[in-house]
């Protein structure tokens, strides 16, 4: 079974930066596509960034040029580096692991950006 644990959320000022981490248990990480989502109250969960098992990346238009997703297969960890943060980036951020056997979500980590 796979479990995901996010960390790195917190409070940042506008223009600041944070890096989120998502650590996966189990042996399936390297063959999995990893996604970062975010959600604010009353809104649907939004896909923010994707990194495939082959390390191809894709980003939502709202974060392009500011967020970078990366992975370390040796550590079973995916990262989301966020710079030039804006109050609109305030949300709970979730990671998601997808492969042929598993579709697993983390518990989420709160990111709050003050103006």
């Amino acid at each position: 079974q796979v479990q995901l644990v996010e960390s790195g959320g917190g409070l940042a000022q506008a223009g600041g930066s944070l890096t989120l981490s998502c650590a996966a248990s189990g042996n399936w990480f390297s063959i999995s596509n990893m996604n970062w989502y975010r959600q604010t109250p009353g809104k649907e969960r939004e896909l923010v960034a994707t990194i495939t098992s082959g390390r191809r990346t894709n980003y939502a238009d709202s974060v392009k040029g500011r967020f970078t997703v990366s992975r370390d297969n040796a550590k079973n960890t995916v990262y989301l580096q966020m710079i030039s943060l804006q109050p609109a980036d305030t949300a709970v951020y979730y990671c998601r692991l997808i492969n042929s056997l598993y579709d697993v979500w983390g518990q989420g980590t709160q990111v709050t950006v003050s103006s």
Side-chain angles (χ1 to χ4, degrees), residues 7-28:
S7 61
L11 179 64
Q13 292 189 334
S17 62
L18 287 172
T19 298
L20 307 182
S21 300
C22 172
S25 63
N27 299 318
W28 301 96

Side-chain angles (χ1 to χ4, degrees), residues 38-60:
R38 65 186 181 187
Q39 189 170 27
T40 54
K43 292 189 176 181
E44 291 190 1
R45 204 166 285 190
E46 172 193 20
L47 178 60
V48 173
T50 296
I51 184 165
T52 69
S53 58
R55 298 182 184 272
R56 284 191 301 177
T57 59
N58 196 32
Y59 299 92

Side-chain angles (χ1 to χ4, degrees), residues 27-112:
N27 299 318
W28 301 96
F29 182 81
S30 64
I31 64 168
S32 303
N33 295 334
M34 299 299 299
N35 303 285
W36 284 100
Y37 289 77
R38 65 186 181 187
Q39 189 170 27
T40 54
K43 292 189 176 181
E44 291 190 1
R45 204 166 285 190
E46 172 193 20
L47 178 60
V48 173
T50 296
I51 184 165
T52 69
S53 58
R55 298 182 184 272
R56 284 191 301 177
T57 59
N58 196 32
Y59 299 92
D61 287 343
S62 58
V63 307
K64 278 181 183 176
R66 301 188 300 118
F67 289 13
T68 303
V69 60
S70 61
R71 65 191 297 159
D72 185 339
N73 288 344
K75 296 182 178 180
N76 280 10
T77 301
V78 62
Y79 304 96
L80 186 67
Q81 181 182 14
M82 307 182 292
I83 66 171
S84 301
L85 283 165
Q86 305 164 359
D89 296 317
T90 296
V92 178
Y93 284 72
Y94 299 88
C95 63
R96 180 185 185 189
L97 176 149
I98 302 176
N99 61 40
S100 59
L101 290 178
Y102 294 103
D103 184 347
V104 179
W105 292 83
Q107 83 286 354
T109 186
Q110 176 71 46
V111 171
T112 302

